[in-house]
Amino acid sequence: NTDGSITSSVSANAAYGFSIVTYTGAGSTQTIGHGLGKVPKMILVKKRNSAENWGVYHVGIGNGNRLSLNSTDASTSTTTWGNTTPTSSVFSVGAASLSNSSGDTYVAYCFADVPGYQRFGTYTGNGTSTGPVIVTGFKPRFILFKRTNSARSWEIYDTERSGDSNTKALYPAESASEGGNAGPIKINSDGFQPLTNSGSN
């Protein structure tokens, strides 16, 4: 893919809003083709040839911030994304070890909204046992949460382990078993609702 200033190798399924991108960093602000044909709403980047945290871009926190998939840290101000919002053809990376050190190799997993299939967004919790109702437009089967304004674990819920009233979280940034002190969520036909004052509400 030669859409960006760095030539990338891309495997993409635009219909399902997902692409896998590999590239070599240049050490200065660059653009990289992602092959989706639509704007990615979430991007996971990992350096492949040496130890480095996962970098997470999310539309809800903007191009000047990032999360780390392997960390409970809050959203952090960063140049990881070159302070530039992705377009329908490229995403940007700044002069950051996490996404673009000269000569280092990287893989990026890019996700876009697909009506009826997947959606990425943000909401503000209300801290009660009747949390906000989040409308996705379809019944979600897999939900990934991260509180962004303070340190908190990532949480995963799905319909296969506990059905539509899910009380058991998984924590992708931790080695803890499922459950723990996370609260339940209710999965609706068109979205979901957090039901306790936890990291998801």
Side-chain angles (χ1 to χ4, degrees):
N1 186 302
T2 58
D3 289 342
S5 56
I6 291 177
T7 298
S8 58
S9 295
V10 176
S11 177
N13 188 325
Y16 288 96
F18 178 61
S19 69
I20 303 172
V21 181
T22 58
Y23 63 94
T24 300
S28 60
T29 300
Q30 304 285 329
T31 56
I32 299 163
H34 53 67
L36 288 175
K38 60 186 75 173
V39 178
K41 299 298 181 71
M42 187 172 181
I43 302 172
L44 312 179
V45 171
K46 183 70 177 75
K47 183 186 286 191
R48 301 164 62 196
N49 61 315
S50 64
E52 184 59 84
N53 286 338
W54 286 83
V56 180
Y57 165 83
H58 191 282
V59 62
I61 60 174
N63 60 45
N65 299 283
R66 68 166 171 79
L67 296 166
S68 294
L69 188 63
N70 56 304
S71 169
T72 61
D73 291 348
S75 173
T76 302
S77 178
T78 184
T79 60
T80 301
W81 317 114
N83 297 110
T84 303
T85 300
T87 72
S88 60
S89 59
V90 300
F91 65 93
S92 296
V93 288
S97 174
L98 191 144
S99 62
N100 186 29
S101 287
S102 180
D104 285 334
T105 56
Y106 295 86
V107 60
Y109 302 97
C110 304
F111 302 85
D113 282 346
V114 177
Y117 180 70
Q118 66 186 15
R119 187 171 180 183
F120 303 85
T122 60
Y123 66 91
T124 301
N126 61 22
T128 74
S129 60
T130 52
V133 175
I134 313 304
V135 177
T136 61
F138 56 91
K139 182 177 180 176
R141 299 293 187 179
F142 171 92
I143 302 170
L144 175 66
F145 292 102
K146 176 69 176 79
R147 183 172 177 172
T148 61
N149 63 338
S150 67
R152 185 75 189 197
S153 296
W154 292 82
E155 296 178 18
I156 292 174
Y157 297 91
D158 64 79
T159 59
E160 296 307 303
R161 291 178 298 123
S162 302
D164 293 349
S165 294
N166 199 317
T167 61
K168 295 182 179 181
L170 290 172
Y171 308 99
E174 302 178 26
S175 60
S177 61
E178 67 177 5
N181 59 1
I185 65 169
K186 179 183 178 184
I187 297 176
N188 302 319
S189 62
D190 62 350
F192 62 92
Q193 182 182 19
L195 299 178
T196 188
N197 181 8
S198 73
S200 58
N201 188 23

Coordinates of all heavy atoms in Angstrom, one line a residue, residues 2 30 41 66 69 72 79 82 88 103 106 114 118 120 136 139 200:
T2 N 0.7 2.1 -1.0 CA 1.5 3.3 -1.1 C 0.8 4.6 -0.9 O 1.2 5.7 -1.3 CB 2.2 3.3 -2.5 OG1 1.1 3.3 -3.5 CG2 3.1 2.2 -2.7
Q30 N 4.9 10.7 9.9 CA 4.7 10.0 8.6 C 3.2 9.6 8.6 O 2.5 9.6 9.6 CB 5.5 8.8 8.5 CG 7.0 9.0 8.6 CD 7.6 9.6 7.4 OE1 7.2 9.4 6.3 NE2 8.7 10.4 7.6
K41 N -11.7 4.0 13.6 CA -12.1 4.6 14.8 C -11.2 4.1 16.0 O -11.2 4.7 17.1 CB -13.5 4.3 15.1 CG -14.5 4.9 14.1 CD -14.4 6.4 14.0 CE -15.4 7.0 13.0 NZ -16.8 6.9 13.4
R66 N -3.4 8.8 23.9 CA -3.3 7.4 23.6 C -3.6 6.6 24.9 O -3.5 7.1 26.0 CB -2.0 6.9 23.0 CG -0.8 7.0 24.0 CD 0.4 6.2 23.5 NE 1.5 6.5 24.3 CZ 1.8 5.9 25.5 NH1 0.9 5.1 26.0 NH2 2.9 6.2 26.2
L69 N -2.8 -0.9 25.7 CA -3.6 -2.1 25.9 C -3.1 -2.9 27.0 O -3.9 -3.6 27.6 CB -3.6 -2.9 24.6 CG -4.6 -4.1 24.5 CD1 -6.0 -3.6 24.6 CD2 -4.4 -4.8 23.2
T72 N -3.2 -0.3 32.8 CA -4.4 0.3 33.3 C -4.4 1.8 33.3 O -5.3 2.5 33.8 CB -4.6 -0.2 34.8 OG1 -3.5 0.2 35.6 CG2 -4.7 -1.7 34.8
T79 N 2.5 12.2 21.2 CA 2.7 12.5 19.8 C 2.7 11.2 19.0 O 3.0 11.2 17.8 CB 4.1 13.2 19.5 OG1 5.1 12.3 20.0 CG2 4.2 14.5 20.3
G82 N 1.0 11.7 15.7 CA 1.3 12.8 15.0 C 0.3 14.0 15.1 O 0.3 14.9 14.2
S88 N -9.7 8.3 5.5 CA -10.3 7.1 4.9 C -9.2 6.3 4.2 O -9.4 5.1 3.8 CB -11.4 7.4 3.9 OG -10.9 8.2 2.9
G103 N 13.7 2.5 11.6 CA 14.2 1.2 11.4 C 13.5 0.1 12.1 O 13.8 -1.1 11.9
Y106 N 6.7 -2.6 12.9 CA 5.5 -2.5 13.6 C 4.4 -3.2 12.9 O 4.4 -3.5 11.7 CB 5.1 -1.0 13.7 CG 6.1 -0.1 14.5 CD1 7.2 0.4 13.9 CD2 5.8 0.1 15.8 CE1 8.1 1.2 14.6 CE2 6.7 0.9 16.5 CZ 7.8 1.4 15.9 OH 8.7 2.2 16.6
V114 N -18.9 -0.4 11.4 CA -19.7 -1.1 10.4 C -21.1 -1.2 10.9 O -21.3 -1.9 11.9 CB -19.1 -2.5 10.0 CG1 -20.0 -3.2 9.0 CG2 -17.7 -2.4 9.5
Q118 N -20.1 -3.7 14.1 CA -19.2 -3.2 15.2 C -19.3 -1.7 15.2 O -19.5 -1.0 14.2 CB -17.8 -3.7 15.0 CG -17.1 -3.1 13.8 CD -15.7 -3.8 13.6 OE1 -15.4 -4.8 14.2 NE2 -14.9 -3.2 12.8
F120 N -17.6 1.8 17.6 CA -16.6 2.4 18.6 C -17.0 3.7 19.1 O -17.4 4.6 18.2 CB -15.2 2.5 18.0 CG -14.7 1.1 17.4 CD1 -15.1 0.7 16.1 CD2 -14.0 0.3 18.2 CE1 -14.7 -0.5 15.7 CE2 -13.6 -0.9 17.7 CZ -13.9 -1.4 16.5
T136 N -26.1 0.9 20.4 CA -25.1 0.6 19.3 C -25.8 0.4 18.0 O -25.2 0.3 16.9 CB -24.3 -0.7 19.7 OG1 -25.3 -1.8 19.8 CG2 -23.5 -0.5 21.0
K139 N -27.4 -5.9 18.6 CA -27.1 -6.6 19.9 C -25.6 -6.9 19.9 O -25.1 -7.7 19.1 CB -27.9 -7.8 20.0 CG -27.7 -8.6 21.3 CD -28.6 -9.8 21.4 CE -28.4 -10.5 22.7 NZ -29.3 -11.7 22.9
S200 N -16.7 0.5 34.4 CA -17.5 0.7 33.2 C -18.6 1.7 33.5 O -19.4 2.0 32.5 CB -18.1 -0.6 32.8 OG -18.8 -1.2 33.8

